[in-house]
Amino acid sequence: MNIRFLWRSPSKTPRWIILVLLGVLAAIATIATAVHFKSAIAQNSLSLSVDVAADRHLISPDIYGMNDYAIDPALAQELRIPVERWGANHTSRYNWLVDSSNSGDDFFFVGGGENKNPIPGESIDKIVKTNRNNGSKSIVTIPIIGYVNKFSTWNCGFRVAKYGAQEKTNPYIFPEGDKCGNGKRPDGSLITDNNRLDVSIISDPKFQKAWVEHLVKTHGTAANGGVQIYQMDNEPSGWGNTHRDVHPEATSYQELRDRTYEYASMVKAVDSTAKVLGPSDFGWIVYADSLVKGDREKHGGVWFARWYLQQMRAYEQQKGVRILDYFDEHYYPIVDDLCLGNCPAGDAKTQAARLRSTRSLWDSTYTDESWIGKSNPPLTIIPRFREWVKQDYPGTKVAITEYNWGGLESINGALTQADILGIFGREQLDLATLWGPPKSSEPGSYAFRTYMNYDGKGSKYGDTWVRSHSTDQGQLSIYGAQRTADGALTLVIINKTSQNLTSNLSLTGFNPAAKAQVYTYSEANLRAIVRQSDLSVSAAGFGATYPANSITLVALPKAKI
């Protein structure tokens, strides 16, 4: 029935039909009111609370970092990303003298490039200079694997002409009509008789010292704006696979300790104001043990990551020099049969899992939804790392220099990323750099903007955490922080559901002005954080409705005395 037609043509509509229709509409209105009332009652159990005087601690600005790989220059400039990391598998093989590296197993062990007349260190010098101009600290990876790329021009570790037919080959033809293989014979077995020096040279602390000296000479010491943080290689437990053409052996407890001693002490000798970060390994399995059979048993059953910390502490006790400033590991979420990290948003099941899995960073009641959770207690990654540091090497900062929950091209990824940044601040992480940053126009970038530039004029989320609680973090999460500059209280509130949610917020320990500013990012406009009407607030708090699948920042100025 076309209701609009009936109302537009009353002279042609019998009176009894209109009366019946009015009765129907009244009944519908009654039902709708009842439904809304029930919804409001259901949401009464969903409440938020903030105590500005409790649990106060500084939030490190370095948790909003990104990896330099594929970073959008416009985003880096706009947000003045606090720290950018130059690191990844290929950086393990970087030779500063020929300004090139080798991709290892990531791409057919290909190294070099088109540069026939390389300038030593040029590409990294450009990165450090750009970071400095953007106000970003630089993390630079120092190869400690023992081998680096030999040539500036195209080369590869397993040429078909030398090592024969292989399981897979690079689709591109190299000079002399040759092709690069994946280092596996057609039957899938590994080629193990290759010459490690085909396309690589031996690298030792003396070789890398010359590069650190070059960086200091070119950019200054860390204290004077040069490279602030040096990372001790990348995912060392993966060398035996990723870089098996030069390091086919699994990395042991002893090897990683000894190499870190040599190279980290070298960095400190060249620039005592620089910080060192490690071991930067790839996941839970190698936090627990090396990939050398029986290695943990040989070391008293102590987990690999913890033994590493203990050995770094022992070095300082013996030598009087701290050579590890940041305990760093990489972390990517796993949910069985689903692709989360570095993957598109996916279906509804995947998106729900993505939002849930942030709990693995902190929640002692959350069982990890992967093989890890079947045989381990809750991961509680950040509290776990902080406890290890407390017990094994007090004073060391905690970092996660690679993480990615995926879906950054979608509102689902933006919600998840905003949740992660809030968790990082609450759980007192010291440094984090997102792997695979979003483009400036993608939803994921607005998660960062919410914390770093929510009004487009440089306004930021606070720098001092305050106690913030939701009765259901899975539906409506809240992260509160006070801003030192003006004393304002800032709240990031994330509605992770597909329905509008109404909640009262109780406030203690803070006397706000009568009006708060509200900024929302949602599916209604994926291209902007939208300023809403000001919100009336009191010293007791406020009530508000949060749009479905949204990130809301509420800024409460202090009342003027």
Side-chain angles (χ1 to χ4, degrees), residues 143-164:
I144 71 173
I145 190 174
Y147 296 86
V148 293
N149 194 52
K150 183 185 294 187
F151 306 109
S152 65
T153 53
W154 292 119
N155 61 85
C156 63
F158 293 101
R159 284 182 177 266
V160 172
K162 181 169 184 177
Y163 294 105

Side-chain angles (χ1 to χ4, degrees), residues 64-66 70-81 403-404 406-418 421 434 436-456 521 525-529 551:
Y64 307 114
M66 296 182 182
I71 194 169
D72 187 328
L75 187 63
Q77 291 173 9
E78 174 198 342
L79 299 183
R80 297 181 70 80
I81 302 298
Y403 73 93
N404 183 295
L408 292 170
E409 81 293 345
S410 71
I411 187 67
N412 175 255
L415 299 176
T416 305
Q417 184 62 48
L421 295 176
L434 171 67
K439 295 178 182 178
S440 180
S441 60
E442 288 185 317
S445 67
Y446 289 92
F448 281 88
R449 287 188 177 97
T450 297
Y451 289 89
M452 302 176 72
N453 185 23
Y454 60 80
D455 61 356
Y521 183 72
N525 187 345
L526 292 177
R527 292 286 182 171
I529 297 174
I551 308 167

Side-chain angles (χ1 to χ4, degrees), residues 65-138:
M66 296 182 182
N67 276 268
D68 183 80
Y69 177 74
I71 194 169
D72 187 328
L75 187 63
Q77 291 173 9
E78 174 198 342
L79 299 183
R80 297 181 70 80
I81 302 298
V83 58
E84 288 189 30
R85 168 184 177 256
W86 178 75
N89 286 337
H90 71 284
T91 62
S92 294
R93 305 277 289 278
Y94 178 73
N95 179 345
W96 77 282
L97 290 178
V98 297
D99 195 34
S100 67
S101 58
N102 188 291
S103 62
D105 190 54
D106 286 349
F107 191 73
F108 299 97
F109 301 88
V110 170
E114 301 287 354
N115 194 352
K116 295 182 180 180
N117 298 295
I119 298 174
E122 181 180 31
S123 61
I124 312 308
D125 287 340
K126 288 181 178 178
I127 290 172
V128 174
K129 183 177 180 181
T130 298
N131 288 347
R132 185 170 185 171
N133 290 339
N134 289 343
S136 305
K137 297 178 184 177
S138 292

